[in-house]
Amino acid sequence: MAARQRDGLRLFGLPPRAGERVAALWPGPLAGPDGRGTSGPCAAALVWQGDDAEVAAFLGAHPECRWLHTTAVGVPHAVLRHADATGLTVTNGAGTHGSAVAEHVLALLLAHFKGLPQTLAAQRERDWKVPVAAELRGRRTGVLGLGDIGRRTARLLDAFGARVRGCRRGAGGSPGSGFHVPGVSAVYGRERIDEFLTGLDVLVVAVPLTEETAGLVGDAELALLRPGAVLVNVGRGPVVDEAALVSALRTGRLAGAALDVFATEPLPASSPLWSEPGVLITPHSADATAETDQRCLELLLDNLARFGAGRPLRNVVDPARDY
């Protein structure tokens, strides 16, 4: 799979510093997403930020492309279908986002339990008002998805004294199966998701969006949580049924929600989530740190060097599993 001198490389949304590093490694011509820079074939594409439809259109127009790397963990369905049909190798950014996102989850949960939104509102009004606060310690907490983000989140929750259980895709992950995650007391396969959800005080959603996970958390699943529970979603928006979420908040089934991802992004101004009491919203920014960017760049450059030399790539995605 080694790159040849004449091979083109298509770039999507790379920041200038990353583009300069790529140019130093790549022997052939470079092109932006509009195609300017080369009119010939492209052997590979690097996606830092890019419109899904734009990337899919590029692949459709360039069947000769042999490798696509995205700094995201989730890969668009259209790209996966193309890879399955053509043999395109796809690699992703798994392992680069977990630290930042796990810290974000803890920040959101602590903000909720310590009443920080109310405290900040009181500060703006110069009102000396003591909030009603609670502790994370001892809370029955479930992490749905035990990839890099889920595992790192579980370790932080455990360090705060929460009682953590996890749920993963494979049926082998069940209590007593021997599948162990540090900080997690019990691991359930997704076929036992009802048992996993029952009685949780906190649910952290950290699964990628696939055909299996779309709408995974809806009315029935939210009804299994303990009354007054809190939901955090740092996976993908469509995993959680937003209408069901709003209903659970309004009926008191949920005391709050902290959301970094949404079914439609940017979140429309008309969404009731903006003004729903107890909801904390961040703009898909859980991993927006300089450290994440550096890890993404290091992985991208390492894979680019590997591709150029014909060596095995890191983080190869299985189109049949969607990640």
Side-chain angles (χ1 to χ4, degrees), residues 115-131:
L116 293 186
Q118 296 86 348
T119 298
L120 291 172
Q123 179 180 340
R124 287 191 292 269
E125 298 298 322
R126 301 174 186 267
D127 184 5
W128 186 270
K129 189 174 184 179
V130 179

Coordinates of all heavy atoms in Angstrom, one line a residue, residues 115-131:
G115 N -24.5 22.2 42.1 CA -25.4 23.4 41.9 C -24.7 24.6 41.3 O -25.1 25.7 41.5
L116 N -23.7 24.3 40.4 CA -22.9 25.5 39.9 C -23.7 26.4 39.0 O -23.6 27.6 39.0 CB -21.7 25.0 39.2 CG -20.6 24.3 40.1 CD1 -19.4 24.0 39.2 CD2 -20.2 25.2 41.2
P117 N -24.6 25.8 38.1 CA -25.5 26.8 37.3 C -26.3 27.7 38.2 O -26.4 28.9 37.9 CB -26.4 25.8 36.5 CG -25.6 24.6 36.4 CD -24.9 24.4 37.7
Q118 N -26.8 27.2 39.3 CA -27.6 28.1 40.2 C -26.7 29.1 40.9 O -27.1 30.3 41.1 CB -28.4 27.2 41.2 CG -29.4 26.3 40.6 CD -28.8 25.0 40.1 OE1 -27.6 24.8 40.0 NE2 -29.7 24.0 39.8
T119 N -25.5 28.7 41.3 CA -24.6 29.6 41.9 C -24.2 30.7 41.0 O -24.1 31.9 41.4 CB -23.4 28.8 42.4 OG1 -23.8 27.8 43.4 CG2 -22.3 29.7 43.1
L120 N -23.9 30.3 39.7 CA -23.5 31.4 38.8 C -24.6 32.3 38.5 O -24.4 33.6 38.3 CB -23.0 30.7 37.5 CG -21.7 29.9 37.6 CD1 -21.4 29.2 36.3 CD2 -20.5 30.9 37.9
A121 N -25.8 31.8 38.4 CA -27.0 32.7 38.2 C -27.2 33.7 39.4 O -27.4 34.8 39.2 CB -28.3 31.9 38.0
A122 N -27.0 33.1 40.6 CA -27.1 34.0 41.8 C -25.9 35.0 41.8 O -26.2 36.2 42.2 CB -27.0 33.1 43.0
Q123 N -24.8 34.6 41.3 CA -23.6 35.6 41.3 C -24.0 36.8 40.4 O -23.7 37.9 40.7 CB -22.4 34.9 40.8 CG -21.2 35.8 40.7 CD -19.9 35.1 40.3 OE1 -19.8 33.9 40.4 NE2 -18.9 35.8 39.8
R124 N -24.6 36.5 39.2 CA -24.9 37.5 38.3 C -25.9 38.5 38.9 O -25.9 39.7 38.6 CB -25.5 36.9 37.0 CG -24.4 36.2 36.1 CD -25.0 35.9 34.7 NE -26.0 34.9 34.8 CZ -25.8 33.5 34.7 NH1 -24.5 33.1 34.6 NH2 -26.7 32.7 34.8
E125 N -26.7 38.0 39.8 CA -27.7 38.9 40.5 C -27.2 39.4 41.8 O -28.0 40.1 42.5 CB -29.0 38.1 40.7 CG -29.7 37.5 39.5 CD -30.1 38.7 38.6 OE1 -30.6 39.7 39.1 OE2 -30.0 38.5 37.3
R126 N -25.9 39.1 42.1 CA -25.3 39.6 43.4 C -26.2 39.1 44.6 O -26.4 39.8 45.6 CB -25.2 41.1 43.4 CG -24.3 41.6 42.3 CD -24.3 43.1 42.3 NE -23.5 43.6 41.1 CZ -22.2 43.9 41.1 NH1 -21.5 43.8 42.2 NH2 -21.6 44.3 40.0
D127 N -26.6 37.8 44.5 CA -27.5 37.2 45.5 C -26.7 36.2 46.2 O -26.3 35.2 45.7 CB -28.7 36.6 44.7 CG -29.7 36.0 45.7 OD1 -29.6 36.1 46.9 OD2 -30.7 35.4 45.2
W128 N -26.6 36.4 47.5 CA -25.8 35.4 48.4 C -26.8 34.2 48.7 O -27.5 34.2 49.7 CB -25.4 36.1 49.7 CG -24.5 35.2 50.6 CD1 -24.9 34.4 51.5 CD2 -23.1 35.2 50.5 NE1 -23.9 33.8 52.1 CE2 -22.7 34.2 51.5 CE3 -22.1 35.8 49.7 CZ2 -21.4 33.9 51.8 CZ3 -20.8 35.5 50.0 CH2 -20.4 34.6 51.0
K129 N -26.7 33.2 47.8 CA -27.7 32.1 47.9 C -27.0 30.8 47.9 O -26.2 30.5 46.9 CB -28.6 32.2 46.7 CG -29.8 31.3 46.7 CD -30.7 31.5 45.5 CE -32.0 30.7 45.6 NZ -32.9 31.0 44.4
V130 N -27.1 30.1 48.9 CA -26.5 28.8 49.1 C -27.2 27.7 48.3 O -28.4 27.5 48.5 CB -26.4 28.3 50.5 CG1 -25.7 27.0 50.6 CG2 -25.6 29.4 51.3
P131 N -26.6 27.1 47.3 CA -27.3 26.1 46.5 C -27.5 24.8 47.2 O -26.8 24.5 48.2 CB -26.3 25.8 45.3 CG -25.0 26.1 45.9 CD -25.1 27.2 46.9

